[in-house]
Amino acid sequence: MKNSNELEIKSKGLEEDFWKNIVSEIENYSKKGCYEKVNILMSLFTLKKLRIIATMLAKGSNVIIDAGSGPGTSTKYIRVIHNYSQIIAMDPSFAMIKMAKDNIGDINAINGMFEDIPIKDSSADAIVAMFSFRDARNYNKALREFSRVLKRKGKLIILDLYRPESALEKIISFFQFNILSVISGLLMGCGKEALLYPNLHKTINYMYSPKEFIMLARNYFENVNFKKMPIIVGILYATDPKKFY
């Protein structure tokens, strides 16, 4: 059923071939053990703080889905901070799910896409997506799925890069993702494949600006806030999902 109040925002997301390449490259860097190290260096060592801030926003949630969990890096933060919650790690890559289980041990992990989450309606208290949402195939469908899976008072927390708007943000983005990413990759042991690291950040061109992101999320959530953080990163915090079924 289509939301009659849905704002006219062009649907975005990654084309299939590009999406498959991104998944493959993330798998490769994760297997090399350099992926998170590069991200930490590129963030100028703010990444841990950003992950903790995002994780804390899920406070009071009994069931938390780590959407796009990758090798379990974000899942570890959620598990430590919300140690009494039921945590479900979800990723479209079977290889990543295996890595998450190997890295963390006894966790609930499922294979699933943002646009088609294999979980019943209104079953999660919070969904956290850390640096994974921009890799979705269809952002609009992903947000709709999040609203479906979350309970009436559920919380959505998305920590991710956003499409730069100002001239200064565009300059910072170019330096960070085309120059610093390669240098970081070489320093952190990615080998010659560090030269391909800028490919991962082409996804920023598909992503919404903060204003567009807020407008789109309001189609599916009653309350939406977006806070810019350092280095072209923002946190979307949305609560009280609208139900269309």
Side-chain angles (χ1 to χ4, degrees):
M1 174 181 172
K2 187 177 179 180
N3 176 13
S4 59
N5 296 318
E6 186 172 301
L7 296 175
E8 292 299 324
I9 300 176
K10 184 179 179 182
S11 181
K12 294 184 178 183
L14 307 188
E15 292 101 348
E16 183 175 1
D17 288 343
F18 183 39
W19 177 79
K20 288 180 178 179
N21 287 336
I22 291 296
V23 172
S24 178
E25 288 185 25
I26 293 175
E27 287 178 353
N28 188 37
Y29 290 126
S30 296
K31 288 175 182 176
K32 284 179 173 287
C34 64
Y35 186 58
E36 185 67 5
K37 294 177 183 177
V38 171
N39 291 335
I40 290 171
L41 188 54
M42 284 180 61
S43 75
L44 304 181
F45 302 97
T46 63
L47 186 57
K48 180 178 180 179
K49 181 179 179 180
L50 292 172
R51 290 193 187 277
I52 291 173
I53 291 171
T55 302
M56 289 296 293
L57 289 173
K59 183 179 179 180
S61 302
N62 294 320
V63 179
I64 304 172
I65 299 174
D66 181 13
S69 56
T73 305
S74 52
T75 317
K76 287 181 180 179
Y77 285 87
I78 299 171
R79 191 174 191 180
V80 169
I81 293 174
H82 304 288
N83 58 332
Y84 292 107
S85 302
Q86 178 187 349
I87 301 163
I88 303 171
M90 184 190 80
D91 201 88
S93 166
F94 286 103
M96 287 295 193
I97 291 296
K98 184 180 184 304
M99 275 189 267
K101 288 181 176 179
D102 291 342
N103 291 335
I104 301 176
D106 184 24
I107 60 167
N108 295 316
I110 60 173
N111 179 256
M113 303 273 290
F114 285 160
E115 302 84 357
D116 187 17
I117 301 173
I119 294 177
K120 66 181 182 179
D121 301 345
S122 302
S123 57
D125 297 288
I127 294 177
V128 182
M130 298 197 205
F131 300 103
S132 56
F133 182 81
R134 73 180 189 279
D135 297 334
R137 293 288 309 281
N138 187 302
Y139 302 147
N140 197 63
K141 289 182 179 179
L143 288 170
R144 190 182 182 93
E145 269 291 87
F146 292 160
S147 72
R148 178 189 67 80
V149 170
L150 285 168
K151 295 177 182 178
R152 291 272 175 190
K153 298 295 181 180
K155 305 172 183 178
L156 171 65
I157 302 106
I158 297 177
L159 170 67
D160 216 323
L161 304 174
Y162 59 84
R163 197 178 77 247
E165 299 176 289
S166 68
L168 179 59
E169 286 181 340
K170 291 176 182 178
I171 292 171
I172 293 173
S173 175
F174 180 83
F175 171 76
Q176 185 179 11
F177 303 130
N178 292 279
I179 299 173
L180 184 57
S181 65
V182 174
I183 295 172
S184 300
L186 292 171
L187 291 174
M188 295 297 109
C190 292
K192 64 180 181 180
E193 291 178 348
L195 300 175
L196 301 176
Y197 221 93
N199 290 340
L200 291 181
H201 299 101
K202 289 179 180 178
T203 53
I204 200 172
N205 298 321
Y206 293 77
M207 191 57 171
Y208 291 107
S209 67
K211 185 181 294 185
E212 291 173 330
F213 206 6
I214 291 170
M215 291 176 66
L216 183 66
R218 282 178 176 163
N219 290 324
Y220 303 106
F221 292 85
E222 297 291 348
N223 303 297
V224 180
N225 292 286
F226 188 96
K227 182 174 178 58
K228 288 187 177 182
M229 307 300 282
I231 323 209
I232 325 297
V233 172
I235 296 179
L236 181 92
Y237 179 64
T239 63
D240 304 310
K242 299 176 182 178
K243 300 297 183 179
F244 307 112
Y245 52 87

